[in-house]
Amino acid sequence: MINKNEKNKSFSIGCINLSKKYAKKLGFATIFNRFKTKGQQLSKYVTGLISHKLHFNQSINHAGEWINQPHILNELSISKFNVKTLYRALDTIGRHDKAIMTLFQRRLNEVYNFKDRDSNFDWSSITLFGQKTRLGKKGYSRDGHPSKKQITFGLAEYREPINIPYVLTIAAGNVLDKQHFFKTFKRSLKALTEDSLIILDRGANTQKNKEDIRKYKHHYLCSSSFSKHVDLKINEFDKKKILIEEDEKTKKKIFCLKYKDVDEYKYLYFSEKLYEDKMNRIKKRIKKKIEENKDLEKKIKSSRKYKKKSYQLREFIATESLTLQRRLINLTQKQLTKKMFQEAVTGREGFFLLNSSKNLTPNEALHNYKSRNSIEKLIDSLKNVIKVKPVRVWTDTEIKGALLIGFFAQVIISLIKYEHETLRKLHPKTIIESIRNLTLTIEYKQIFVQNRIISNIDCINRFIFGQNGAIT
């Protein structure tokens, strides 16, 4: 019952309405409620946590305090609860992550019926600041914290023009991309159609992974490292190069040599722009080294003598000394630059190699692989816009549950961009800011009577809510 003496309330409603809209569209009740049969429905807690994730980057305790406000509880149709309930909800989601992902994929394709299911795969890591979880291991850090433990996660998305993620897998922090691949691939199988093209980067390109893709009747396209055989192809490249693309602005050209090696098609590309960039980087590196060598030469030739230093290391004595290479003295700067340049250039500058099990044209292979940058943007959005890091829970299952909440928040943003072509080029942060600005003011007139006033409507949130009457 509404108390007529209650004060009017204004609060952000955009993230709540958005979460409720897509919770209904994606069938969260069907996906989540089977895993919690007593008390409040699990789907309502999931909707509340996604709303909180879109609006804040705060702890689960903060989420509990925020949701337990009377006006938020009313909007989400939830009764007041203890904050520990949210931790139990995350634990439940994490324990059933495989089943939840399968149910989500089925519902996604029932609603949108995607025809082209070619997919981009990629992996990244998140730093952990807790010590209890078994998933936390030291490994190659993408977050710039090599001394910290981390977890790795894998994503798969339908490639452009869809660009919607449909798989999330989580593994220990020391698992390499090539080892993590099969877990992500296996989790994606029910969401793929036969002969789907899987696009990978070089880190996941192994013979076993490619054989697994072919075993399940799919195709792959991936970047590859160079071998001596490829060097031979580079040597004969000028005789067979074919122009496939020219940039209208820079007039830089790309050439390709396509050939078949056993049962795999290989595409050796030469990019004038890539060649120019690589050579410029080499020149800058050489210039920097020469400047460092000049400083070193000045120190050695200075009147102040350099004293040898000795260190006692258990049974050994280490002596430190400083010497000047004769090359620095005998060669002029021009000669030294030329010599260093000759040593740095390998002959592979400007070249890159793609492999595929599918017989694509050079243009198709290049375009498909270039479109893979969308999943890198997706990972950036997940980490820096949705902000799944830092992970503020400590057990394995709660970590999986927390990352799944972030994953579904990202799915919603991706679906917005898919459904509204006008918004596709906007950065996710711009869309979320517009949604957060949408404000609901509740005026309490008398018992059972209230006015609900929506404000801060702009062209973005009008696209998202206004066309289907979601702003009420």
Side-chain angles (χ1 to χ4, degrees), residues 354-395:
L354 301 180
N355 297 343
S356 181
S357 59
K358 192 173 184 178
N359 187 8
L360 304 168
T361 67
N363 291 80
E364 288 174 336
L366 183 62
H367 173 75
N368 289 342
Y369 192 78
K370 275 184 174 181
S371 68
R372 193 189 155 279
N373 73 339
S374 62
I375 197 166
E376 295 173 357
K377 292 178 180 178
L378 181 73
I379 288 174
D380 178 71
S381 174
L382 190 64
K383 292 169 77 171
N384 300 313
V385 180
I386 302 299
K387 295 186 178 177
V388 294
K389 62 174 187 177
V391 180
R392 291 186 170 91
V393 287
W394 314 118
T395 67

Side-chain angles (χ1 to χ4, degrees), residues 135-166:
L135 289 171
K137 303 288 183 183
K138 289 185 179 180
Y140 174 66
S141 175
R142 277 89 160 188
D143 286 343
H145 296 283
S147 62
K148 300 286 185 182
K149 290 183 178 180
Q150 62 177 20
I151 56 171
T152 58
F153 67 92
L155 281 177
E157 66 156 10
Y158 295 125
R159 73 176 185 87
E160 64 175 23
I162 301 172
N163 298 128
I164 294 173
Y166 64 91

Side-chain angles (χ1 to χ4, degrees), residues 189-446:
L189 286 172
K190 292 182 179 179
L192 299 172
T193 53
E194 192 172 328
D195 289 333
S196 292
L197 184 66
I198 308 300
I199 305 171
L200 309 168
D201 66 359
R202 193 178 304 176
N205 178 4
T206 66
Q207 190 60 34
K208 183 182 181 303
N209 289 344
K210 293 190 287 188
E211 287 172 359
D212 286 335
I213 293 172
R214 296 300 296 134
K215 178 182 174 182
Y216 287 93
K217 298 181 179 179
H218 297 297
H219 290 285
Y220 60 83
L221 172 66
C222 54
S223 175
S224 180
S225 55
F226 291 115
S227 63
K228 290 183 179 179
H229 176 69
V230 177
D231 286 333
L232 294 175
K233 292 292 181 182
I234 289 175
N235 291 335
E236 63 184 54
F237 188 86
D238 286 340
K239 301 175 184 177
K240 299 181 179 180
K241 66 183 181 182
I242 303 170
L243 176 64
I244 65 163
E245 188 174 295
E246 182 175 359
D247 190 287
E248 293 180 0
K249 293 182 180 178
T250 62
K251 301 299 180 183
K252 302 296 182 184
K253 299 174 183 177
I254 297 178
F255 303 91
C256 179
L257 171 62
K258 176 184 174 182
Y259 60 99
K260 192 172 183 181
D261 186 5
V262 192
D263 56 349
E264 187 175 63
Y265 295 94
K266 300 202 172 187
Y267 305 84
L268 181 61
Y269 295 93
F270 177 78
S271 167
E272 292 180 341
K273 185 178 185 304
L274 183 63
Y275 175 80
E276 189 177 285
D277 292 343
K278 181 68 175 177
M279 299 306 277
N280 287 335
R281 285 198 296 271
I282 291 173
K283 289 174 183 176
K284 286 181 182 178
R285 190 165 66 246
I286 290 173
K287 185 178 180 181
K288 184 178 178 181
K289 284 185 178 180
I290 290 175
E291 293 299 325
E292 290 173 354
N293 289 337
K294 280 183 178 180
D295 293 338
L296 180 62
E297 185 179 352
K298 286 178 182 178
K299 287 180 182 178
I300 296 174
K301 288 184 174 181
S302 65
S303 57
R304 183 179 176 183
K305 293 183 179 179
Y306 181 83
K307 295 180 180 179
K308 288 186 178 181
K309 296 180 182 178
S310 297
Y311 306 93
Q312 183 71 37
L313 303 173
R314 293 184 182 178
E315 298 88 6
F316 303 97
I317 295 178
T319 301
E320 178 187 332
S321 62
L322 200 60
T323 59
L324 178 64
Q325 295 178 12
R326 292 192 62 81
R327 187 172 70 178
L328 293 178
I329 301 172
N330 296 335
L331 298 179
T332 65
Q333 181 173 332
K334 188 175 181 180
Q335 291 172 328
L336 181 59
T337 302
K338 184 178 179 181
K339 188 172 182 64
M340 293 177 72
F341 187 79
Q342 289 171 346
E343 291 175 356
V345 173
T346 63
R348 294 175 174 178
E349 291 77 18
F351 287 94
F352 60 97
L353 182 67
L354 301 180
N355 297 343
S356 181
S357 59
K358 192 173 184 178
N359 187 8
L360 304 168
T361 67
N363 291 80
E364 288 174 336
L366 183 62
H367 173 75
N368 289 342
Y369 192 78
K370 275 184 174 181
S371 68
R372 193 189 155 279
N373 73 339
S374 62
I375 197 166
E376 295 173 357
K377 292 178 180 178
L378 181 73
I379 288 174
D380 178 71
S381 174
L382 190 64
K383 292 169 77 171
N384 300 313
V385 180
I386 302 299
K387 295 186 178 177
V388 294
K389 62 174 187 177
V391 180
R392 291 186 170 91
V393 287
W394 314 118
T395 67
D396 289 358
T397 51
E398 287 176 356
I399 286 172
K400 290 179 180 179
L403 288 180
L404 275 170
I405 293 298
F407 171 79
F408 282 113
Q410 180 61 56
V411 167
I412 289 173
I413 299 302
S414 297
L415 285 171
I416 289 171
K417 297 179 79 170
Y418 173 73
E419 292 173 353
H420 305 283
E421 190 173 351
T422 311
L423 306 180
R424 285 185 189 176
K425 293 184 179 181
L426 292 181
H427 194 278
K429 189 174 182 179
T430 305
I431 296 173
I432 290 178
E433 285 297 328
S434 172
I435 295 166
R436 289 172 182 167
N437 289 339
L438 195 65
T439 304
L440 172 64
T441 301
I442 300 177
E443 291 184 346
Y444 296 95
K445 296 292 185 181
Q446 53 185 324

Side-chain angles (χ1 to χ4, degrees), residues 77-129:
S77 303
I78 303 178
S79 302
K80 194 174 181 64
F81 58 88
N82 190 297
V83 70
K84 290 182 179 179
T85 304
L86 294 183
Y87 287 97
R88 290 195 293 270
L90 291 177
D91 179 72
T92 303
I93 296 167
R95 281 188 285 111
H96 299 96
D97 62 324
K98 294 179 183 178
I100 288 169
M101 197 58 63
T102 301
L103 292 166
F104 161 68
Q105 291 169 358
R106 185 185 304 163
R107 178 62 179 174
L108 183 68
N109 283 295
E110 282 175 0
V111 174
Y112 293 95
N113 192 26
F114 301 124
K115 300 298 182 185
D116 182 3
R117 300 192 188 180
D118 293 349
S119 300
N120 299 315
F121 283 55
D122 205 359
W123 297 265
S124 190
S125 63
I126 298 175
T127 302
L128 284 178
F129 294 95

